[in-house]
Every structure is written in C-alpha cells, then in structure tokens.
C-alpha cells in the first residue's frame, strides 16, 4: 500500500496486524524480519575494474595502435613497438583513473539511518537497532529524533518534522494523526506520515512503521540513484565520434597506400614489408596520440582554476560540460534561497512596513516608552516584542561569531527579526518574565505565553499584573480577538478593520509568505485551568509575514546566464505560491507564467511533458521521480542540463543531469556524492562563473584539436604526396610519434591555460549535436594542415632532388615541427591577432615553444638520438632555411584571422 495516509489509524493497524498498546511480539518481529529483511539500504554492485580496463583497451583508436605494434614487432621494429605500447598503456591509465570512482552516494544515504530507536514490543518499551525495525513496529518519537523508517502516525502531540532534505520544503511540517483525503498527495502534503531520514523538531508522537529499507521513500531514492545511467558529456560524445572517424580514416589510408603500392610495384613480395610499414606510419600519423592526455590535463588544470572560484570539480568531464550547459534546473530551498526563514513584512494598524526598510530607517522603530514615538512605531515595537516573547526559539553564537537559531525555523525568524531591530530575547525576557504558557496545538494553530506585565507607562494592560501574548494563524486569532491596538488606543474590531486585516493576510499569502497574527490581553492572574479563559476577548496587534528569502546575488546570476543563452528553471518540493513568488522575484519566471505541480506531472505522460518542458520555468510540490523526469524530458529535447540541489531528494536528478551541482555548505552528503561539482560557497552566482570557465576550457580544447589535427593532416600530406613524387618514406613512425606527442603536446598544454575570448558570455552555448568541427573549424584544420604539409614537403623534396643521400628527411621533419610552433602561436585566439593579445601574455606558451625547439635540436645533433629517430645533423644554413620556411604558417594563419575580422567589421 502506497497510500497509507488515506486510512484511519484502526484500518492501518488492522492491515499491519499490530497492536498500538503492546506492539509486536518478539516472535512476530523475528518472522517479519525474515520476510522483509533488514531496515537498511542495499547497494548494488559497481562496474568491475577489469571491465573498465577492457573497455579502455578495446576503443577503436587503441586497437589500431595495438595492431600497429604487433605488425612492427613482426618486422623487427622494436623501437616502434616500445613507443606505441607506452602510448597505449598511458592512455589506458588515464582513462581508468577518470572512470574508476567508487559510488559513495548509497554509503552517504546509509548514514541517515539511526543506530537505535525506541519501540513498543512485547508490551513494554525497548530500545533496538534501527536495522531490526519491521512493518508493524510501534515507534515512539521525541523532539530531535531522526525518523528511522516510513510510518503512519497514530498519535501526534504538537509534532513537527523537518523534511527539507527529502521534500525541499524549508518549513517544518505540522503533523496530524487523522486520515487525509486525496489521490497521489505529494510527500510534503502527507501530514500524517513520517519518512526515513527526516528529523522531528518539536513535540512528540507515535507511529506505526509501514515501510522499511528499500521500500521507504529514501530507499526509492537509493534505487533511483543506482538505476540512473550516467550520460556521456558532450565532449566525450564528440571525442568518441572523432576517434571513430579518425580510426576508420586510418584504416582507409592503410588500404589506399597498400593498394596503390601493389599497383605500382614490380616485385610485390619485396615491396610488401615497406608498404605495410608505410601504411602503419600513415595510421600513426592519422591518430592524435597526445589528445587523451592533453584533454585530461586541460580538464585537470581547469578544475584547479574553478576551485579558486569556489567550484569543486568531482568528475573531470564536468569541467567542459559546464561550457555547453543550456539549462540550469535549480532546487529552491538552500540554492536559490538562504534556507533560513526570515521576517520580511510587519503589518499593523493600516501600515505595512518592510523589515529591510525598518533596519535602514534609523529612528523609525523607537523605544515604546517614549510618549512622542509614532503610533505605528509603538505598535511595531509591541508586535516585535510579542513575537519574540511568545516563542521557544533561542539565538546562539558559534566560535566564529556567526549567529544561528536553535528551535523551530518560524519561531527563530521572529526572534532574529526582534534582535535585528534592537530587541534581544534575553533583554525582553528579563523585563517580561514568562510565568506560564499554553503550548501550540495543531487543532488551535496558536501558542500563548503569559508574562509579568512590566512597567510600561503606556499602561496598555491597566492595573493588571500580567499580560498574555498569542501568536498563530490569522484566521484563528481573529476568531478570539475583539479589539485592535492602533498605537494610540484600543478600539473595537469592527467589520471594516476585519476586512482590512483579512485582505492584508491574503495579499501576503498570495506572494508565498507564511503569515502569523499576534495578539495580547491583560490578565489579573496566570493561574488558569483552561486556555479558553485566556484566549478570548484579545487585542489584535498585527501581522508578521516571513519567507525563506532569495540569495541576494542570485538575481544578477540568473540575468547573466540568460545573456549567455542559458535558461534557469526552478524545481522544488515547496508550495506553488511560494515557488512562483521566488521565481518571479529572481526573474526566472515572468508574471503570469505557467507552472506545473507534482500532481499535474503525475498525470502527464513522458511525451506530454516533453511538449511543454521548454515553456515551463517553475515546478512545485515535485517528488524525486518528477525531478528525474523533468531532467530527462529536457535532455530529450536536446538540452544540456545542469541540476543544482542540496537535499537527498535531489540526488537522482543530480546524477542523471549532464552536470549535477551540489551545495557544499548546506548540501547533504548524498547530494555531494551524486554530483559532478560542489559549490563551496553555496552561491548560485558561482555556477555562472563556472559556466564561463567551462566555455574557456571547451574553447581551449577545440584550439588544441585544431592544432593537433592540422599537424596530423600535414603529416598525411607529406606521407601521401612524397611517394608519388618518387621519394622514399618522408617520415618514419617514430618521427611521427614525436610530432604527435611532444611537438603537439607541450604547446597543447600551454593552450590549456589560455584566457577566454572576447564576448565569451554573450554568445549562445554550443548545441549538443553541434560537431566538434563546427563554426568553420573543420575548414581551418584542412587548409592549415594542407599548407603545413606542402610547406614541409617542398624543402624536403628539393633537398632530396639535390642529394638523395643527404639530410632531406631531417629537413622535412624539422620544418614540420617548427611550422607547428608558428601554428601554436597563431591559434591562441580565434579572433584577435597574436600581436594584440601579446606574445608574452601566455608565458607557458613561450616556454613550451622554446623547450620544444631545444628538444628538436637535441634530436638533430645528439648522436644516440640521431640513431633512434633516424635524423642527421643539419648545418646552420640548413637549420635557418627550415626555420624561415616554417614561419610561413604563422603568417598565413594571422592573415586569415585579419581577413575574418575585416569581414565582421564590414558586415
């Protein structure tokens, strides 16, 4: 039964075959433990490390390299074998390290289970391990207890339960024990139920356990976490497609080389070895062996930069994913808001006052003793005083000097507001000592405290030695109030005043505010037998409205995200009116914008949700499954989704989203473990800063891909055209590997720290299906690569024609290497000239180019390296010729950028 809330206590008890007075017998409990299992969350097995290694070694690019190593070994090219296998091992280690992370989300969920619980068994009170709870157990709940399993309340004495981690609702829920009506009520509205992992904050109660372990709502979340499949990031998909394209391209090139060689050959058996080695060289040239390492290091460097901006990256691919985000789905409580109930409005005697205004308007709220104080100010003073005195919450200060509230969040808001306005609870309690109280009950929906009247010259309570302060629901207070305090006098509460108070109440409530009324009454004595003797003929003071306020920086962050083409969506378990008010305040939703509730979502099919998901910006009263469905519907529409949250209820959606973002301060361990990124300052604005950083990183990865693939195409041009000109093999496999790993790798790492392009946050994000070669990059790779190949081949060909036994191969190799250095300098910016951004603005690039140049000289002039890489020493004249010719690439790339800038200005 998933609808226990609909049934009377007697029906629930009968169905579960238990007794509220005596509980289960030991024998029955043991039998049920055997039937239902332990009350714990079950963790499914993770992917085997060996399976991860196997997946790394069976990627198509790696397979081709392994085949190349085997063929090279067959022909005795041991040096080639060693280098190729070293590359394979390095890439496998990098891939394994990134993927092999033990999932800790379920372990974090397990921490929410309590070690012991008080139950009725065998007709007596016992303390047992929470793991041994079974359906039908009678559990006794006190203030501060963690709820050990899901249960139906059979008794609730002023019980309140904080369910924010599970439902997203910031306010503690008043619990009842009577049956509720309605189909598929959201968890937050099932007020006669308690749920595993939540905590009681007030009162006491008794519950019969209905579900344990994986059958609880928390267990449902655990199951969702483990069944959600992790989506590949846009970069992983693009690099996967790129790898397949290049791998099949390499296979095609090998086939073409061998077929053409066979056609031209006069002695197939003699030339076959040379043809196969040439084909292997071509395959090695086509595959960017340094790409996985450079991408991994680029992401790691990016994560370090993000850490300086208070964004902790847990999974490296998330660094790039941020740059592709098109939609941010954010939880409300603790993410967009402060997760702290705050008094925002005081309404008295025809005047509504904003608390922020009161705090800044010095002198407006004056001491009530002053007869010359404004009447409204005097009433505000009394309203604030009464709210703080009729209150059990207290303010504490931690070792860092930060204040925090102990007690109910609503009461804490009243005490905090009084303190901010200059009335500390300690001072008020000393002046008006509490002598008696009538506790809050859910039936009356109010609380009353009785105090010694003090020495106020206003003599509101005449000669009476005591005064009663009452706070509670506005409608309930108006039923027991007969007068109103105007600030000057007590007047009868006529129809006009009643209407005015009711209208103010409705207006504040419609904005998503929690509204409480406050009243007082003079008393001759505090010794009363019945609350009705006190709570009658009261004097109404005013209204206090409170809400969990938005974080001050969020509104600008939402606007900045919108400018960058990123839409913000609120998904919360809170009340629809509250959600809409906060969303409109933050400009997430426009006035009159539509929103969906959990009940409406439950009645929609996946196809129906996908049709409207692009138009709805606010979802309220949603369950964990709903959050998951919304994220999946957005992804089905082609969106790259970032999901932010801090509660247990957010974890499945955090894991399913393209990037899950958890709160570091207020977030639960469960949400952090499920997330890709953790905000250390819980600042929504940090997400936008991280998106900007992600775009910079994605741009830099694209620059590296352009850089390395243009080099690969240059190598292929040299290797394809050279033999057609009658030349021997222009480059040997080890020289190609040197270019792909060292010559590409060092400047490639320098590109990783390049700063962002102009206007990076004023352009739309890359579409998820947009190719890695989009926006003209593919064309630039082709023409730069062709130019590089020709620039390198021409001097090598001329030297070969002059002396076939001369250093023509070294000239070709060196020219291609140095041409890459010019290319690296020129593509640092896609828009601006290298001269305008400055040669030394990226000092790591300068160092890497100088280091690569030095290593290239070592290959040419150090004897044992000459032997290993098949190079010859060049004269100073030959080296200068190679250097000058290679500079052509830098010049033509800069000219192409100048031409594009000129076209942009003219258009």
């Amino acid at each position: 039964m998933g609808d226990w809330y609909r049934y009377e206590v007697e029906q629930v008890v009968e169905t579960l075959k238990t007794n509220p007075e005596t509980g289960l017998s030991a024998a029955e409990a043991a039998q049920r433990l055997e039937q239902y299992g332990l009350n714990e969350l079950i963790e499914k097995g993770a992917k085997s490390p060996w399976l991860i290694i196997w997946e790394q070694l069976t990627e198509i690019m790696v397979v081709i390299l392994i085949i190349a190593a085997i063929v090279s070994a067959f022909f005795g090219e041991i040096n080639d074998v060693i280098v190729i296998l070293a590359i394979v091992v390095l890439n496998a280690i990098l891939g394994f390290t990134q993927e092999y992370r033990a999932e800790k989300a379920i372990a974090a969920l397990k921490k929410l289970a309590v070690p012991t619980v008080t139950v009725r068994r065998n007709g007596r009170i016992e303390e047992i391990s929470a793991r041994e709870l079974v359906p039908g157990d009678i559990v006794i709940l006190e203030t501060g207890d963690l709820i050990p399993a899901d249960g139906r309340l059979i008794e609730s004495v002023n019980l309140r339960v904080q369910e924010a981690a599970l439902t997203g609702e910031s306010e503690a829920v008043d619990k009842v024990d009577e049956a509720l009506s309605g189909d598929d009520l959201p968890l937050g509205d099932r007020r006669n139920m308690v749920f595993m992992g939540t905590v009681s904050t007030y009162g006491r109660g008794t519950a019969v356990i209905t579900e344990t372990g994986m059958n609880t709502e928390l267990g449902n979340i655990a199951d969702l976490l483990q069944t959600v499949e992790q989506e590949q990031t846009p970069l992983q998909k693009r690099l996967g497609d790129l790898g397949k394209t290049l791998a099949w391209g390499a296979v095609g090139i090998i086939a073409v080389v061998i077929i053409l060689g066979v056609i031209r050959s006069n002695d197939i058996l003699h030339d076959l070895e040379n043809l196969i080695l040439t084909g292997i060289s071509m395959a090695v040239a086509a595959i960017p062996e340094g790409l996985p390492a450079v991408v991994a290091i680029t992401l790691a460097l990016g994560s370090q930069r993000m850490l300086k901006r208070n964004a902790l990256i847990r999974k490296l691919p998330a660094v790039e994913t941020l740059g592709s985000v098109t939609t941010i789905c954010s939880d409300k409580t603790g993410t967009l808001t402060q997760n702290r109930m705050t008094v925002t409005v005081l309404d008295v005697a025809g005047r509504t006052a904003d608390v922020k205004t009161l705090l800044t308007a010095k002198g407006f709220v004056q001491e009530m003793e002053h007869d010359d104080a404004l009447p409204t100010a005097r009433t505000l003073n009394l309203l604030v005083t009464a709210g703080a005195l009729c209150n059990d919450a207290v303010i504490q200060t931690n070792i860092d000097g930060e204040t925090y509230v102990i007690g109910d969040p609503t009461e804490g808001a009243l005490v905090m507001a009084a303190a901010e306005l200059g009335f500390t609870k300690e001072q008020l309690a000393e002046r008006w000592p509490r002598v008696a109280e009538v506790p809050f009950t859910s039936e009356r929906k109010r609380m009353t405290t009785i105090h010694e009247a003090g020495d106020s010259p206003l003599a509101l309570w005449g000669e009476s030695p005591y005064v009663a302060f009452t706070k509670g629901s506005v409608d309930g207070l108006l039923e027991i109030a007969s007068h109103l305090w105007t600030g000057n006098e007590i007047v009868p509460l006529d129809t006009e005043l009643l209407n005015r108070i009711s209208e103010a109440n409705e207006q504040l409530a419609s904005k998503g505010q929690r509204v409480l009324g406050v009243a007082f009454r003079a008393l001759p004595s505090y010794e009363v037998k019945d609350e009705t003797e006190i709570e009658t003929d009261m004097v109404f003071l005013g209204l206090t409205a409170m809400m969990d306020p938005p974080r001050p920086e969020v509104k600008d962050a939402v606007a900045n995200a919108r400018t960058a083409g990123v839409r913000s969506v609120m998904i919360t378990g809170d009340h629809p009116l509250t959600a809409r008010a906060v969303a409109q305040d933050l400009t997430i939703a426009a006035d009159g914008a539509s929103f969906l509730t959990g009940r409406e979502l439950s009645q929609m099919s996946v196809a129906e949700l996908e049709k409207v998901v692009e138009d709805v910006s606010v979802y309220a009263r949603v369950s964990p499954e709903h959050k998951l469905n919304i994220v999946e519907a957005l992804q089905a529409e082609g969106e790259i989704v970032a999901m932010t949250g801090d509660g247990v209820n957010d974890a499945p959606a955090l894991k399913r989203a393209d990037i899950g973002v958890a709160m570091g301060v207020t977030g639960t361990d469960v949400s952090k473990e499920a997330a890709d990124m953790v905000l250390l300052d819980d600042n929504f604005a940090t997400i936008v800063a991280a998106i900007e950083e992600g775009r910079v990183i994605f741009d830099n990865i694209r620059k590296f891909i352009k850089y390395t693939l243009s080099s690969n195409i240059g190598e292929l041009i040299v290797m394809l055209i050279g033999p057609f000109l009658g030349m021997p093999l222009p480059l040997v496999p080890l020289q190609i590997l040197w270019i792909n790993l060292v010559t590409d790798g060092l400047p490639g790492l320098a590109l990783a720290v390049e700063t962002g392009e102009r206007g990076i946050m004023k352009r739309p994000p890359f579409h998820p299906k947009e190719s890695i070669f989009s926006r003209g990059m593919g064309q630039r790779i082709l023409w730069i690569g062709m130019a590089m190949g020709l620039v390198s081949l021409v001097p090598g060909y001329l030297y070969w024609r002059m002396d076939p036994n001369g250093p023509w191969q070294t000239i070709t190799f060196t020219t291609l290497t140095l041409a890459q250095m010019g290319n690296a300098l020129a593509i640092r910016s896609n828009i601006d000239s290298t001269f305008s951004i400055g040669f030394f603005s990226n000092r790591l690039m300068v160092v890497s180019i100088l280091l690569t140049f030095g290593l290239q000289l070592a290959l040419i002039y150090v004897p044992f390296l000459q032997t290993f890489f098949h190079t010859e020493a060049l004269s100073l004249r030959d080296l200068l010729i190679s250097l000058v010719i290679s500079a052509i690439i830098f010049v033509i790339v800069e000219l192409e950028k100048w031409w594009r800038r000129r076209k942009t200005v003219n258009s």
Side-chain angles (χ1 to χ4, degrees):
M1 293 174 66
D3 53 354
W4 295 102
Y5 64 90
R6 297 177 59 189
Y7 297 93
E8 297 292 346
V9 171
E10 293 76 14
Q11 293 174 280
V12 174
V13 169
E14 183 181 348
T15 302
L16 291 171
K17 298 178 181 178
T18 187
N19 187 323
E21 303 301 326
T22 62
L24 298 173
S25 66
E28 179 65 21
Q31 188 273 327
R32 294 191 184 190
L33 188 63
E34 182 75 21
Q35 178 183 354
Y36 295 105
L38 291 171
N39 178 37
E40 62 184 7
L41 304 181
I42 300 170
E43 188 169 2
K44 297 177 182 177
K47 186 187 288 186
S48 163
W50 296 109
L51 179 59
I52 296 174
I53 293 173
W54 174 255
E55 289 176 351
Q56 295 295 322
L57 294 177
T58 52
E59 288 186 2
I60 189 164
M61 282 202 301
V62 176
V63 169
I64 289 175
L65 288 177
I66 292 173
I67 293 172
I70 293 171
V71 174
S72 297
F74 180 77
F75 288 111
E77 301 290 335
I78 303 302
N79 290 342
D80 292 4
V81 174
I82 293 171
V83 176
I84 292 172
L85 289 181
I87 295 167
V88 169
V89 171
L90 175 63
N91 283 343
I93 291 172
L94 282 170
F96 177 84
T97 303
Q98 287 187 51
E99 186 169 344
Y100 183 57
R101 300 183 64 93
E103 281 296 338
K104 299 175 183 175
I106 306 305
L109 277 172
K110 288 180 177 178
K111 293 179 183 177
L112 296 177
V114 289
T116 59
V117 61
T118 304
V119 299
R120 287 196 187 112
R121 278 192 182 174
N122 297 312
R124 61 178 183 269
I125 304 296
E126 297 182 5
E127 267 200 358
I128 65 170
S129 169
R131 298 171 71 244
E132 298 174 6
L133 275 180
V134 295
D137 262 324
I138 306 299
V139 176
I140 298 170
L141 302 172
E142 301 288 348
T143 300
D145 285 351
L146 287 171
I147 309 300
D150 290 1
R152 166 71 161 86
L153 286 166
I154 57 178
E155 181 188 28
S156 175
V157 182
N158 307 322
L159 182 66
R160 294 182 190 172
V161 178
Q162 179 57 263
E163 299 177 344
L166 188 65
T167 66
E169 186 165 358
S170 55
E171 193 177 332
V173 179
D174 294 321
K175 292 297 182 178
V176 298
D177 52 30
E178 65 264 18
L180 302 174
S181 60
D183 295 329
D184 298 321
L185 285 184
L187 294 185
D189 292 337
R190 300 182 185 184
R191 296 174 53 232
N192 59 6
M193 299 289 294
V194 288
F195 303 104
M196 177 191 267
T198 60
V199 59
S200 64
T201 61
Y202 190 85
R204 60 184 177 83
T206 306
V208 55
I209 298 303
T210 55
E211 309 287 355
T212 59
M214 294 298 288
N215 293 323
T216 63
E217 293 298 332
L218 201 65
N220 182 39
I221 292 175
D223 189 55
L224 285 173
L225 270 173
Q226 296 179 97
T227 54
V228 166
E229 292 185 6
Q230 191 75 38
E231 279 284 296
Q232 279 193 317
T233 69
L235 180 64
Q236 288 171 325
K237 292 175 183 175
R238 287 168 176 142
L239 291 182
D241 293 340
L242 174 62
K244 291 174 184 176
T245 301
L246 294 176
W248 287 116
V251 172
I253 289 168
I254 293 172
V256 169
V257 168
I258 293 177
I259 290 171
L260 291 177
V262 168
I263 293 172
R264 293 180 56 201
S265 175
N266 295 320
D267 187 351
I268 296 296
L269 294 176
H270 180 268
D271 293 340
L272 186 60
E273 177 182 342
N274 188 50
L275 286 173
I276 291 174
L277 290 176
T278 301
I280 289 173
S281 299
M282 299 284 282
V284 171
I287 296 174
E289 289 83 4
L291 181 60
V294 171
V295 169
I297 294 170
T298 302
L299 295 177
L301 292 173
S303 70
Q304 292 300 312
R305 291 205 300 271
M306 286 189 178
L307 185 59
K308 295 178 182 177
R309 303 181 80 163
N310 289 315
L312 172 65
I313 301 297
R314 294 189 65 255
K315 299 169 185 175
L316 273 184
V319 175
E320 173 275 331
T321 309
L322 279 161
S324 303
V325 165
T326 59
T327 303
I328 303 174
C329 292
S330 177
D331 183 40
K332 179 186 73 69
T333 306
T335 308
L336 298 172
T337 64
Q338 300 174 27
N339 197 20
R340 178 173 61 87
M341 292 298 287
T342 304
V343 175
T344 56
V345 174
L346 300 173
D347 187 281
V348 296
R351 171 82 183 263
T352 297
D354 182 88
V355 172
K356 289 182 181 178
T357 304
L358 296 182
L359 291 173
T360 56
K362 294 181 179 179
F364 180 74
V365 178
Q366 303 174 42
E367 288 296 329
M368 194 168 58
E369 290 81 2
H370 290 255
D371 289 326
D372 60 348
L374 294 170
T376 305
R378 289 200 296 267
T379 310
L380 285 171
N381 263 313
L382 187 56
L383 178 63
V384 170
T385 299
L389 288 171
C390 185
N391 200 311
D392 290 328
V394 293
I395 298 176
Q396 296 286 348
T397 304
N398 61 22
I399 57 175
D400 297 323
E402 299 172 337
T403 59
Y404 62 97
V405 172
I406 296 178
D408 182 80
T410 300
E411 292 197 325
L414 293 170
V415 175
M416 190 68 77
E420 290 174 345
L421 291 168
F423 306 104
T424 66
K425 187 171 183 180
E426 292 77 11
Q427 294 171 335
L428 294 174
E430 184 177 344
R431 185 166 185 182
W432 285 282
R434 184 190 296 191
V435 294
E437 67 179 277
V438 181
F440 174 91
T441 65
S442 55
E443 292 78 20
R444 291 165 38 250
K445 295 185 179 179
R446 57 180 174 266
M447 169 185 180
T448 299
T449 55
I450 303 172
H451 304 261
E452 292 182 7
D455 55 355
S456 171
L458 295 177
L460 290 176
W461 23 88
E463 300 299 324
S464 301
Y466 303 101
V467 60
F469 292 121
T470 301
K471 74 173 192 305
S473 72
V474 178
D475 293 339
L477 279 189
L478 290 177
E479 291 176 1
I480 60 173
S482 58
H483 292 77
L484 174 74
W485 166 244
T486 66
N488 284 324
E489 58 182 339
I490 296 175
V491 299
L493 196 56
D494 57 24
T495 303
E496 182 180 347
L497 289 173
L498 282 171
N499 290 339
R500 186 234 168 268
I501 294 170
S502 296
E503 287 174 7
N505 179 35
E506 291 173 6
Q507 186 176 12
L508 290 169
S510 68
K511 296 178 180 178
Q513 308 242 33
R514 170 86 189 273
V515 186
L516 292 179
V518 180
F520 73 91
R521 182 191 172 199
L523 293 174
S525 169
Y526 68 87
E527 295 180 358
V528 290
K529 297 178 181 179
D530 194 322
E531 69 263 15
T532 57
E533 296 181 27
I534 301 172
E535 296 174 346
T536 186
D537 199 28
M538 302 203 79
V539 180
F540 194 84
L541 267 175
L543 310 175
T544 60
M546 62 192 75
M547 68 182 301
D548 182 9
R551 293 178 177 273
E553 68 281 351
V554 170
K555 191 169 186 176
D556 287 341
V558 170
N560 292 339
R562 188 181 300 113
T563 302
V566 181
R567 186 167 73 104
S568 299
V569 175
M570 178 193 292
I571 306 176
T572 179
D574 216 337
H575 194 278
L577 287 176
T578 305
R580 183 164 60 179
V582 173
Q584 289 175 348
D585 186 18
L586 297 174
T587 69
I588 289 175
D591 291 343
S594 61
F595 65 93
L596 288 176
T597 65
R599 184 172 293 185
E600 291 167 330
L601 287 168
S602 297
Q603 297 169 356
M604 297 176 71
S605 66
V606 174
E608 288 172 333
L609 179 58
E610 290 176 1
K611 288 179 182 178
V612 300
V613 74
E614 297 277 14
D615 302 318
V616 179
S617 296
V618 180
Y619 300 86
R621 275 289 190 259
V622 296
S623 68
E625 292 95 332
H626 294 147
K627 293 187 178 188
L628 200 56
N629 292 341
I630 294 165
V631 170
E632 290 175 341
L634 285 165
Q635 290 173 330
E637 293 300 303
E639 303 288 342
I640 296 297
V641 182
M643 171 71 192
T644 72
D646 62 352
V648 176
N649 60 322
D650 298 321
L654 287 175
K655 187 174 179 181
R656 182 65 177 86
D658 296 285
I659 175 164
V661 184
M663 302 296 116
V665 179
T666 60
T668 60
D669 288 343
V670 183
S671 64
K672 292 175 188 176
E673 294 299 338
D676 303 288
M677 183 175 85
V678 178
L679 301 183
L680 299 181
D681 57 358
D682 282 16
N683 190 333
F684 186 86
T686 303
I687 301 171
V688 181
I691 287 175
E692 180 179 0
E693 193 66 51
R695 290 189 176 189
V696 172
I697 291 164
F698 183 56
D699 277 2
N700 289 345
I701 290 174
R702 275 171 52 92
K703 289 173 187 176
F704 174 73
I705 290 172
K706 179 167 68 173
Y707 171 64
T708 190
L709 291 188
S710 59
S711 170
N712 287 15
I713 288 177
E715 296 162 15
L716 290 173
I717 294 294
V718 169
M719 298 295 291
L720 277 172
I721 297 179
F724 279 99
L725 297 176
M727 299 171 66
L729 208 59
L731 297 171
V732 299
L734 282 179
Q735 291 173 345
I736 294 170
L737 288 171
W738 173 265
I739 295 171
N740 288 1
L741 289 172
V742 180
T743 309
D744 286 358
L746 292 177
L749 292 177
L751 286 173
V753 299
E754 200 65 54
T755 55
E757 300 275 3
R758 284 186 289 119
I760 196 168
M761 287 298 282
K762 293 182 179 178
R763 74 182 192 206
F766 277 81
H767 191 275
K769 295 181 180 178
E770 199 168 344
S771 166
I772 195 79
F773 301 115
S774 65
R775 307 191 186 188
M777 193 174 92
Q779 296 173 357
R780 294 186 196 105
I781 289 173
L782 285 173
W783 77 256
I784 293 173
M786 292 174 67
M788 197 174 299
L790 293 174
V791 163
S792 305
L793 186 61
V794 167
Y797 176 72
L798 294 176
Y799 270 74
W800 174 73
R801 287 294 300 270
M802 289 187 293
D803 183 4
N805 297 316
W808 63 271
Q809 193 176 58
T810 304
I811 286 287
T812 305
F813 176 39
T814 303
T815 305
L816 183 56
T817 300
L818 297 180
Q820 272 291 77
M821 300 303 96
N823 189 27
L825 276 175
I827 67 169
R828 285 177 51 205
S829 172
N830 293 319
I831 306 168
D832 298 314
S833 164
T834 307
F835 298 96
S836 63
I837 63 175
F839 282 90
F840 295 95
S841 57
N842 184 345
R843 296 186 179 182
L844 184 60
M845 178 63 78
V846 177
V847 171
S848 69
I849 287 175
L850 292 175
L851 180 59
T852 303
F853 183 68
L855 290 171
Q856 184 68 23
L857 292 180
L859 261 64
I860 297 172
Y861 297 109
V862 176
F864 82 90
L865 291 176
Q866 288 177 334
T867 303
F868 195 81
F869 285 93
H870 305 282
T871 59
E872 299 177 46
L874 298 178
S875 66
L876 179 60
R877 172 178 169 274
D878 292 340
L879 183 63
L880 289 175
I881 289 173
S882 180
L883 184 61
V884 170
I885 293 175
S886 67
I888 293 173
I889 297 299
F890 173 79
V891 173
I892 62 175
V893 173
E894 284 293 338
L895 285 174
E896 189 265 348
K897 287 195 295 182
W898 169 80
W899 178 254
R900 281 193 287 118
R901 288 197 302 273
R902 187 165 175 259
K903 284 177 63 178
T904 302
V905 172
N906 292 337
S907 61

